[in-house]
Amino acid sequence: MPQRSLFTDTTPLEILFAFPESELEIACGTHYTFDEYNLSIILQRRGAHNKLGFAIQLSYLRYPGYAMASDAKPLDTLLAYVSQELQIKPSAWNEYGQHDETRHEHAI
């Protein structure tokens, strides 16, 4: 019996692990919404930029399941959604990770 591949030309691995692109898709999932416990951990960080960065890292760890690369920037829709949820301006992201240790610490 011939073996069938799980991944065909119509379902590449990138599609399976792609971030939702619209705000509606982000809001409908549970990967990017924080409960009281999550918020208590996020709010322990100092500065709006570290709170936002930590929350984005947490989002990445939830889905697609890996830490965000140190030089990567999140999708604008994800950044806007998480910023709104935390009531932090998205521009705070620009300050996040200016120290390599911060991003490394948040990723582990």
Side-chain angles (χ1 to χ4, degrees), residues 9 13-14 22 24 29-30 44 57 66 68 82 100 102 108:
D9 291 340
L13 190 58
E14 295 85 26
S22 73
L24 180 60
T30 59
Q44 290 177 18
Q57 284 286 10
Y66 55 82
M68 187 175 176
V82 172
D100 290 334
T102 303
I108 54 174

Side-chain angles (χ1 to χ4, degrees), residues 20-37:
E21 294 185 12
S22 73
E23 187 174 339
L24 180 60
E25 290 174 316
I26 291 171
C28 288
T30 59
H31 305 298
Y32 311 110
T33 303
F34 307 114
D35 61 17
E36 287 183 36
Y37 177 74

Side-chain angles (χ1 to χ4, degrees), residues 51-60 68 74 78-79 82 93:
K51 291 173 184 165
L52 180 59
F54 186 84
I56 294 288
Q57 284 286 10
L58 180 59
S59 298
Y60 265 71
M68 187 175 176
L78 177 63
L79 183 60
V82 172
W93 175 261

Side-chain angles (χ1 to χ4, degrees), residues 33-89:
T33 303
F34 307 114
D35 61 17
E36 287 183 36
Y37 177 74
N38 298 138
L39 288 172
S40 71
I41 295 171
I42 292 166
L43 297 176
Q44 290 177 18
R45 311 294 149 217
R46 287 185 288 165
H49 59 287
N50 284 328
K51 291 173 184 165
L52 180 59
F54 186 84
I56 294 288
Q57 284 286 10
L58 180 59
S59 298
Y60 265 71
L61 289 172
R62 288 176 168 179
Y63 187 83
Y66 55 82
M68 187 175 176
S70 61
D71 60 342
K73 181 182 183 291
L75 291 174
D76 290 336
T77 50
L78 177 63
L79 183 60
Y81 183 81
V82 172
S83 297
Q84 182 179 14
E85 191 170 1
L86 298 177
Q87 299 179 354
I88 296 173
K89 293 181 182 179

